[in-house]
């Protein structure tokens, strides 16, 4: 079974139960049935911007002054991509999904979607990345 660890600020009205069930079903459907672990974090814009600068600087929008001005809605990291992996465990590590909750709110409103619907869309998209399925280049 896949263990899903969720961390979020208390003021982010996300159902950890729904995200956990969604991901457990998603991984099972995609053939992940061994004991493993996935981490999901819901963060603010400042944290997401820091992660973008640290890990995705080349893929971010950079202004003429060299500053990264794009705040991504979601990141996915496999263990080998993360400097100082903070989730020691004997379980197989599928990776970590980081969702920027304020950006999710804005996108859900623009796309006329429920917040939870947008969260699950992004979490599912990121879970595909953790399984090695990426965008066409």
């Amino acid at each position: 079974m896949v263990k899903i660890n969720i961390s979020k600020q208390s003021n982010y009205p996300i159902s950890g139960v729904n995200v956990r069930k969604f991901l457990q079903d998603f991984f099972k459907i995609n053939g992940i049935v061994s004991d493993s672990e996935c981490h999901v974090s819901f963060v603010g814009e400042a944290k997401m911007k820091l992660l973008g600068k640290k890990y995705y600087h080349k893929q971010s929008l950079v202004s003429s002054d060299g500053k990264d001005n794009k705040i991504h809605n979601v990141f996915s990291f496999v263990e080998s991509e993360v400097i100082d992996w903070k989730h020691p465990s004997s379980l197989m590590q599928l990776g970590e999904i980081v969702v920027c909750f304020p950006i999710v709110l804005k996108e859900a409103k623009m796309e006329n979607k429920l917040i939870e619907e947008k969260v699950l869309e992004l979490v599912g998209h990121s879970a595909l990345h953790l399984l090695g399925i990426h965008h066409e280049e």
Side-chain angles (χ1 to χ4, degrees):
M1 181 172 173
V2 179
K3 179 180 178 184
I4 308 295
N5 298 308
I6 298 176
S7 66
K8 65 182 183 79
Q9 294 179 13
S10 60
N11 62 331
Y12 292 167
I14 297 294
S15 169
V17 171
N18 291 349
V19 172
R20 189 172 288 111
K21 176 154 181 21
F22 173 83
L23 279 173
Q24 286 171 333
D25 291 346
F26 175 90
F27 286 125
K28 186 176 181 180
I29 288 167
N30 284 281
I32 306 297
V33 293
S34 59
D35 288 342
S36 52
E37 194 168 37
C38 178
H39 304 272
V40 181
S41 299
F42 292 92
V43 301
E45 291 182 4
K47 177 69 173 179
M48 203 63 159
K49 195 167 187 176
L50 286 172
L51 290 171
K53 285 182 179 183
K54 185 173 184 177
Y55 292 102
Y56 290 98
H57 183 69
K58 291 179 184 174
Q59 296 175 353
S60 298
L61 296 177
V62 179
S63 64
S64 59
D65 62 3
K67 293 183 179 176
D68 180 354
N69 292 319
K70 180 169 181 172
I71 301 173
H72 296 263
N73 56 5
V74 67
F75 287 134
S76 56
F77 301 102
V78 294
E79 183 178 3
S80 62
E81 293 176 326
V82 178
I83 301 165
D84 301 324
W85 183 256
K86 295 182 175 151
H87 308 292
S89 172
S90 60
L91 298 175
M92 177 179 74
Q93 296 295 307
L94 296 174
E96 182 167 9
I97 296 169
V98 183
V99 180
C100 184
F101 190 75
I103 298 296
V104 167
L105 286 176
K106 292 173 190 173
E107 289 181 358
K109 185 175 181 177
M110 283 182 1
E111 297 170 16
N112 200 28
K113 293 181 177 179
L114 297 174
I115 295 167
E116 184 170 310
E117 179 183 6
K118 185 64 184 178
V119 164
L120 296 179
E121 173 189 315
L122 293 173
V123 167
H125 177 89
S126 290
L128 286 172
H129 287 287
L130 295 179
L131 297 179
I133 301 167
H134 301 285
H135 302 277
E136 292 182 27
E137 307 253 346

PDB file of all heavy atoms in Angstrom, residues 59-74:
ATOM      1  N   GLN A  59      13.961  26.766 -16.131  1.00  0.00           N
ATOM      2  CA  GLN A  59      12.647  26.598 -16.749  1.00  0.00           C
ATOM      3  C   GLN A  59      11.691  27.725 -16.395  1.00  0.00           C
ATOM      4  O   GLN A  59      10.596  27.795 -16.906  1.00  0.00           O
ATOM      5  CB  GLN A  59      12.028  25.278 -16.309  1.00  0.00           C
ATOM      6  CG  GLN A  59      12.809  24.077 -16.761  1.00  0.00           C
ATOM      7  CD  GLN A  59      12.241  22.790 -16.222  1.00  0.00           C
ATOM      8  OE1 GLN A  59      11.334  22.793 -15.405  1.00  0.00           O
ATOM      9  NE2 GLN A  59      12.769  21.686 -16.682  1.00  0.00           N
ATOM     10  N   SER A  60      12.081  28.591 -15.494  1.00  0.00           N
ATOM     11  CA  SER A  60      11.205  29.658 -15.040  1.00  0.00           C
ATOM     12  C   SER A  60      11.312  30.875 -15.949  1.00  0.00           C
ATOM     13  O   SER A  60      12.271  31.043 -16.678  1.00  0.00           O
ATOM     14  CB  SER A  60      11.567  30.055 -13.612  1.00  0.00           C
ATOM     15  OG  SER A  60      11.394  28.970 -12.754  1.00  0.00           O
ATOM     16  N   LEU A  61      10.317  31.725 -15.848  1.00  0.00           N
ATOM     17  CA  LEU A  61      10.366  32.973 -16.588  1.00  0.00           C
ATOM     18  C   LEU A  61      11.307  33.916 -15.855  1.00  0.00           C
ATOM     19  O   LEU A  61      11.156  34.160 -14.669  1.00  0.00           O
ATOM     20  CB  LEU A  61       8.975  33.601 -16.666  1.00  0.00           C
ATOM     21  CG  LEU A  61       7.929  32.796 -17.423  1.00  0.00           C
ATOM     22  CD1 LEU A  61       6.589  33.505 -17.349  1.00  0.00           C
ATOM     23  CD2 LEU A  61       8.336  32.608 -18.864  1.00  0.00           C
ATOM     24  N   VAL A  62      12.274  34.437 -16.553  1.00  0.00           N
ATOM     25  CA  VAL A  62      13.261  35.317 -15.937  1.00  0.00           C
ATOM     26  C   VAL A  62      13.172  36.673 -16.622  1.00  0.00           C
ATOM     27  O   VAL A  62      13.196  36.763 -17.846  1.00  0.00           O
ATOM     28  CB  VAL A  62      14.685  34.725 -16.071  1.00  0.00           C
ATOM     29  CG1 VAL A  62      15.706  35.667 -15.455  1.00  0.00           C
ATOM     30  CG2 VAL A  62      14.750  33.358 -15.416  1.00  0.00           C
ATOM     31  N   SER A  63      13.079  37.716 -15.832  1.00  0.00           N
ATOM     32  CA  SER A  63      12.988  39.061 -16.388  1.00  0.00           C
ATOM     33  C   SER A  63      14.374  39.562 -16.780  1.00  0.00           C
ATOM     34  O   SER A  63      15.382  38.927 -16.487  1.00  0.00           O
ATOM     35  CB  SER A  63      12.352  40.004 -15.360  1.00  0.00           C
ATOM     36  OG  SER A  63      13.193  40.108 -14.237  1.00  0.00           O
ATOM     37  N   SER A  64      14.425  40.723 -17.395  1.00  0.00           N
ATOM     38  CA  SER A  64      15.701  41.275 -17.863  1.00  0.00           C
ATOM     39  C   SER A  64      16.665  41.558 -16.714  1.00  0.00           C
ATOM     40  O   SER A  64      17.869  41.615 -16.915  1.00  0.00           O
ATOM     41  CB  SER A  64      15.459  42.548 -18.676  1.00  0.00           C
ATOM     42  OG  SER A  64      14.786  43.499 -17.873  1.00  0.00           O
ATOM     43  N   ASP A  65      16.143  41.740 -15.506  1.00  0.00           N
ATOM     44  CA  ASP A  65      17.030  41.970 -14.362  1.00  0.00           C
ATOM     45  C   ASP A  65      17.508  40.666 -13.729  1.00  0.00           C
ATOM     46  O   ASP A  65      18.175  40.669 -12.701  1.00  0.00           O
ATOM     47  CB  ASP A  65      16.370  42.861 -13.310  1.00  0.00           C
ATOM     48  CG  ASP A  65      15.115  42.248 -12.706  1.00  0.00           C
ATOM     49  OD1 ASP A  65      14.756  41.092 -13.046  1.00  0.00           O
ATOM     50  OD2 ASP A  65      14.481  42.924 -11.887  1.00  0.00           O
ATOM     51  N   GLY A  66      17.172  39.533 -14.361  1.00  0.00           N
ATOM     52  CA  GLY A  66      17.655  38.237 -13.884  1.00  0.00           C
ATOM     53  C   GLY A  66      16.831  37.627 -12.771  1.00  0.00           C
ATOM     54  O   GLY A  66      17.190  36.594 -12.229  1.00  0.00           O
ATOM     55  N   LYS A  67      15.714  38.239 -12.427  1.00  0.00           N
ATOM     56  CA  LYS A  67      14.889  37.717 -11.332  1.00  0.00           C
ATOM     57  C   LYS A  67      13.822  36.768 -11.874  1.00  0.00           C
ATOM     58  O   LYS A  67      13.216  37.009 -12.908  1.00  0.00           O
ATOM     59  CB  LYS A  67      14.222  38.853 -10.565  1.00  0.00           C
ATOM     60  CG  LYS A  67      15.225  39.714  -9.823  1.00  0.00           C
ATOM     61  CD  LYS A  67      14.526  40.770  -9.024  1.00  0.00           C
ATOM     62  CE  LYS A  67      15.551  41.610  -8.278  1.00  0.00           C
ATOM     63  NZ  LYS A  67      14.920  42.711  -7.566  1.00  0.00           N
ATOM     64  N   ASP A  68      13.611  35.696 -11.146  1.00  0.00           N
ATOM     65  CA  ASP A  68      12.583  34.722 -11.498  1.00  0.00           C
ATOM     66  C   ASP A  68      11.245  35.276 -11.028  1.00  0.00           C
ATOM     67  O   ASP A  68      11.025  35.445  -9.846  1.00  0.00           O
ATOM     68  CB  ASP A  68      12.896  33.388 -10.805  1.00  0.00           C
ATOM     69  CG  ASP A  68      11.889  32.303 -11.117  1.00  0.00           C
ATOM     70  OD1 ASP A  68      10.875  32.597 -11.784  1.00  0.00           O
ATOM     71  OD2 ASP A  68      12.102  31.169 -10.690  1.00  0.00           O
ATOM     72  N   ASN A  69      10.358  35.597 -11.966  1.00  0.00           N
ATOM     73  CA  ASN A  69       9.084  36.207 -11.607  1.00  0.00           C
ATOM     74  C   ASN A  69       7.907  35.248 -11.680  1.00  0.00           C
ATOM     75  O   ASN A  69       6.783  35.648 -11.412  1.00  0.00           O
ATOM     76  CB  ASN A  69       8.815  37.410 -12.516  1.00  0.00           C
ATOM     77  CG  ASN A  69       9.781  38.532 -12.237  1.00  0.00           C
ATOM     78  OD1 ASN A  69      10.093  38.808 -11.087  1.00  0.00           O
ATOM     79  ND2 ASN A  69      10.270  39.176 -13.281  1.00  0.00           N
ATOM     80  N   LYS A  70       8.147  34.012 -12.040  1.00  0.00           N
ATOM     81  CA  LYS A  70       7.043  33.063 -12.160  1.00  0.00           C
ATOM     82  C   LYS A  70       6.925  32.223 -10.894  1.00  0.00           C
ATOM     83  O   LYS A  70       7.902  31.718 -10.379  1.00  0.00           O
ATOM     84  CB  LYS A  70       7.252  32.134 -13.355  1.00  0.00           C
ATOM     85  CG  LYS A  70       6.116  31.143 -13.496  1.00  0.00           C
ATOM     86  CD  LYS A  70       6.151  30.399 -14.778  1.00  0.00           C
ATOM     87  CE  LYS A  70       4.956  29.466 -14.815  1.00  0.00           C
ATOM     88  NZ  LYS A  70       4.777  28.842 -16.066  1.00  0.00           N
ATOM     89  N   ILE A  71       5.712  32.114 -10.426  1.00  0.00           N
ATOM     90  CA  ILE A  71       5.441  31.220  -9.303  1.00  0.00           C
ATOM     91  C   ILE A  71       4.645  30.058  -9.876  1.00  0.00           C
ATOM     92  O   ILE A  71       3.541  30.241 -10.389  1.00  0.00           O
ATOM     93  CB  ILE A  71       4.659  31.925  -8.188  1.00  0.00           C
ATOM     94  CG1 ILE A  71       5.459  33.131  -7.676  1.00  0.00           C
ATOM     95  CG2 ILE A  71       4.368  30.949  -7.054  1.00  0.00           C
ATOM     96  CD1 ILE A  71       4.708  33.998  -6.692  1.00  0.00           C
ATOM     97  N   HIS A  72       5.208  28.882  -9.820  1.00  0.00           N
ATOM     98  CA  HIS A  72       4.579  27.694 -10.385  1.00  0.00           C
ATOM     99  C   HIS A  72       3.424  27.218  -9.506  1.00  0.00           C
ATOM    100  O   HIS A  72       3.427  27.432  -8.302  1.00  0.00           O
ATOM    101  CB  HIS A  72       5.619  26.574 -10.528  1.00  0.00           C
ATOM    102  CG  HIS A  72       6.703  26.903 -11.494  1.00  0.00           C
ATOM    103  ND1 HIS A  72       6.692  26.491 -12.795  1.00  0.00           N
ATOM    104  CD2 HIS A  72       7.835  27.633 -11.362  1.00  0.00           C
ATOM    105  CE1 HIS A  72       7.761  26.934 -13.420  1.00  0.00           C
ATOM    106  NE2 HIS A  72       8.476  27.635 -12.567  1.00  0.00           N
ATOM    107  N   ASN A  73       2.482  26.533 -10.121  1.00  0.00           N
ATOM    108  CA  ASN A  73       1.348  26.010  -9.362  1.00  0.00           C
ATOM    109  C   ASN A  73       1.686  24.700  -8.659  1.00  0.00           C
ATOM    110  O   ASN A  73       1.138  24.407  -7.591  1.00  0.00           O
ATOM    111  CB  ASN A  73       0.107  25.860 -10.246  1.00  0.00           C
ATOM    112  CG  ASN A  73       0.331  24.999 -11.474  1.00  0.00           C
ATOM    113  OD1 ASN A  73       1.394  24.407 -11.665  1.00  0.00           O
ATOM    114  ND2 ASN A  73      -0.684  24.943 -12.329  1.00  0.00           N
ATOM    115  N   VAL A  74       2.588  23.915  -9.230  1.00  0.00           N
ATOM    116  CA  VAL A  74       2.918  22.618  -8.647  1.00  0.00           C
ATOM    117  C   VAL A  74       4.315  22.183  -9.096  1.00  0.00           C
ATOM    118  O   VAL A  74       4.746  22.523 -10.198  1.00  0.00           O
ATOM    119  CB  VAL A  74       1.853  21.554  -9.034  1.00  0.00           C
ATOM    120  CG1 VAL A  74       1.871  21.250 -10.517  1.00  0.00           C
ATOM    121  CG2 VAL A  74       1.975  20.296  -8.216  1.00  0.00           C
TER     122      VAL A  74
END
